[in-house]
DNA sequence: GAGTATGAAATCGTATACGATCCATTGTTA
DNA sequence: TAACAATGGATCGTATACGATTTCATACTC
């Protein structure tokens, strides 16, 4: 066994490369999964595979490629001025992150967003974001809380001027402030993925539930007060999860016109 | 915008392909991420890309490629009797699922498992597995509970005969019974990924904490009683999460010989 | 002797080429 | 006319080829 290890020996120190101690938090984050792509070093001209990955992902998130949209390899390759091979690799990565679905000998299309998917994503996000916010709480400074409160004020402003797009953007910003200090990068990554998933639903029917926005702003304020009061991580987690679950319930009540508890598996 | 959509028109019903209703739970699961690869249809000879993916993943999980192991594209391609291209795609998928790390112009190596990683993974698993178990609880039948109890009995047997490998396997089986009925495939997928991550730590130093195994079996029994008593999903979630957190604490206490609460961010 | 240039080998990255597969359409038959 | 089989074009899957980059080992300078 371990045939390869004994060949072409000298390069690479074989054996477990215990790279990085406690500080190396970024090591396990899948690259490029952050909601806001963290300022890229941009040293060498990025590999074409990487370019393709980012380009396609951006277009999905921006809505240029809407759900169900057919992605043809050759066409993408042409648009990017590269050959098909790097595009295939990009597609594979995007598939693994469920930005799109891929079928053998058929091709790729942008991941669907049927209502069921929305439910699943929101529920998952309620759990991981709740946990992330709870874990993040002890690290939040007064300045953080202040910043969050400012954002929430701006959201209140959006209500007056009826600017749902900006409202949604600010909403992500608000929550980012609260969960971004979560010290566990895995959990943080899951939260980012969840939000990314939801981002591609913008301009879809899911986003706006009448009245929910106003309620949401108030819940934000309550959450901030909880944090200021030095609540336990557990309480914060529960509140954050509840906030998201409430949005989901509002969506369900609105779309089905029936009580949310008709979905028995929601906590 | 949406240039591609208007070309080569006829094929594919363009527009959102709302594929599948509530029943189509598998649609969003990244293929092949299950802990136990669900019986493959094996219709056409799997694409070489897929073969490569599974082969490499298996070898990582089985420990044949241990952490830090260098994966050379050409070598893998040779071993599988394919060219480099499909192997690259497999690598990309595995990278996105963080089975391995990949560096531009350098290559891939099996993902590391430094203690910090272990902590992060366990903590994440405590959260998502706890949630999955809680959501799964209402769907568990008496037969399921019985099966779990049988498995737990077998685990108790392993304690007598000192069979830690089998113990670990059974441990996964036990918990699988309890979380596998979680109706949210996203969450379930996260749980599978977490367990997969841990699987590659077998034969590593992390697995065995003296005394913890016996305690674990008892906690299992308590969890089963909770389920039989018709506890709320919330209680079950809390118990399941606590069970895993306790394992993590035991590891921390054992490895550092200091109190677990020296890690302030654990719930 | 320590540190730095240089060259060769290994390996990765991408383009191109071509066979394999699928889908939609057309043509055929009961 | 409805069901079915043949056909053709579009697209995917993979092999091969070759340039680009990194890494290691040696030779050289201070």
């Amino acid at each position: 066994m371990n045939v390869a290890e004994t060949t072409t020996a000298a390069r690479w120190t074989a054996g477990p490369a215990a790279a990085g101690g406690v500080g190396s938090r970024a090591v396990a984050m899948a690259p490029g999964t952050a909601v806001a792509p963290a300022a890229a070093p941009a040293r060498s001209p990025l590999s074409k595979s990487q370019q393709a990955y980012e380009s396609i992902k951006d277009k999905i998130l921006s809505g240029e490629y809407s759900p169900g949209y057919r992605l043809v390899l050759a066409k993408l390759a042409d648009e990017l001025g590269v050959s098909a091979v790097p595009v295939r690799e990009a597609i594979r990565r995007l598939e693994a992150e469920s930005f799109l679905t891929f079928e053998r000998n058929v091709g790729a299309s942008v991941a669907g967003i049927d209502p069921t998917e929305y439910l699943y994503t929101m529920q998952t996000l309620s759990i991981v974001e709740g946990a992330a916010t709870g874990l993040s709480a002890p690290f939040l400074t007064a300045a953080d809380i202040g910043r969050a409160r400012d954002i929430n004020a701006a959201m209140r402003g959006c209500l007056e001027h009826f600017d749902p797009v900006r409202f949604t953007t600010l909403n992500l910003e608000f929550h980012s402030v609260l969960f971004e200090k979560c010290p566990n990068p895995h959990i943080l990554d899951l939260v980012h993925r969840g939000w990314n998933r939801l981002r591609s639903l913008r301009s879809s029917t899911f986003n706006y539930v009448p009245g929910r926005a106003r309620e949401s702003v108030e819940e934000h304020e309550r959450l901030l007060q909880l944090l200021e009061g030095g609540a336990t991580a557990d309480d914060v987690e529960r509140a954050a999860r509840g906030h998201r679950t409430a949005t989901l319930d509002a969506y369900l009540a609105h779309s089905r016109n029936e009580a949310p508890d008709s979905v028995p598996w929601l906590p």
Side-chain angles (χ1 to χ4, degrees), chain A:
Chain A
M1 65 206 69
N2 276 8
V3 186
E5 198 152 31
T6 61
T7 66
T8 69
R11 189 179 301 185
W12 285 63
T13 67
V22 177
S24 69
R25 284 169 37 187
V27 67
M29 280 189 67
T33 53
V35 171
R43 10 165 286 177
S44 63
L46 250 42
S47 89
K48 313 223 171 160
S49 171
Q50 186 81 357
Q51 286 175 243
Y53 170 79
E54 282 168 15
S55 164
I56 297 171
K57 196 177 90 172
D58 280 353
K59 285 178 180 162
I60 291 177
L61 289 178
S62 78
E64 186 171 345
Y65 296 156
S66 45
Y69 189 88
R70 172 78 190 284
L71 296 171
V72 179
L73 277 145
K75 181 165 295 297
L76 293 173
D78 265 5
E79 279 174 26
L80 293 163
V82 303
S83 87
V85 177
V87 176
R88 290 179 66 88
E89 290 178 24
I91 296 274
R92 283 269 140 69
R93 280 181 59 185
L94 291 165
E95 180 196 11
E97 294 170 19
S98 43
F99 283 103
L100 48 82
T101 61
F102 191 87
E103 202 178 342
R104 168 115 192 259
N105 277 319
V106 172
S109 44
V110 177
I113 49 150
D114 50 286
T116 310
E117 264 301 297
Y118 178 76
L119 292 185
Y120 291 152
T121 304
M122 278 293 275
Q123 189 183 32
T124 307
L125 190 57
S126 79
I127 289 160
V128 294
E129 189 192 14
T133 306
L135 292 172
S136 179
F139 300 95
L140 291 176
T141 65
D144 292 325
I145 308 279
R147 201 148 51 90
R149 187 165 272 131
D150 289 346
I151 296 170
N152 202 34
M155 291 177 75
R156 206 173 263 119
C158 288
L159 288 179
E160 315 298 337
H161 305 84
F162 202 75
D163 188 347
V165 172
R166 184 161 152 72
F167 185 90
T168 303
T169 308
L170 288 171
N171 189 40
L172 170 53
E173 273 183 47
F174 175 86
H175 286 287
S176 292
V177 171
L178 300 189
F179 64 64
E180 209 62 58
K181 292 206 170 166
C182 168
N184 184 326
H186 287 194
I187 296 173
L188 213 42
D189 182 46
L190 296 182
V191 176
H192 289 155
R193 290 188 192 213
W195 275 98
N196 270 338
R197 210 76 194 291
L198 291 180
R199 275 220 293 175
S200 57
L201 308 190
R202 237 187 349 213
S203 81
S204 161
T205 56
F206 295 117
N207 263 320
Y208 222 69
V209 178
R212 173 64 194 157
R214 192 168 301 274
E215 214 174 291
S216 186
V217 169
E218 284 160 25
E219 284 180 22
H220 287 174
E221 178 54 34
R222 249 171 284 152
L223 187 53
L224 291 178
Q225 286 169 8
L226 205 60
L227 287 164
E228 284 175 327
T232 68
D234 212 51
D235 285 336
V236 174
E237 171 172 359
R238 198 183 320 279
R241 186 192 288 195
H243 172 58
R244 192 142 310 287
T245 306
T247 300
L248 184 48
D249 284 347
Y251 162 73
L252 288 173
H254 176 249
S255 73
R256 302 203 198 172
N257 264 350
E258 53 186 35
D261 59 12
S262 66
V263 179
W265 43 271
L266 284 175

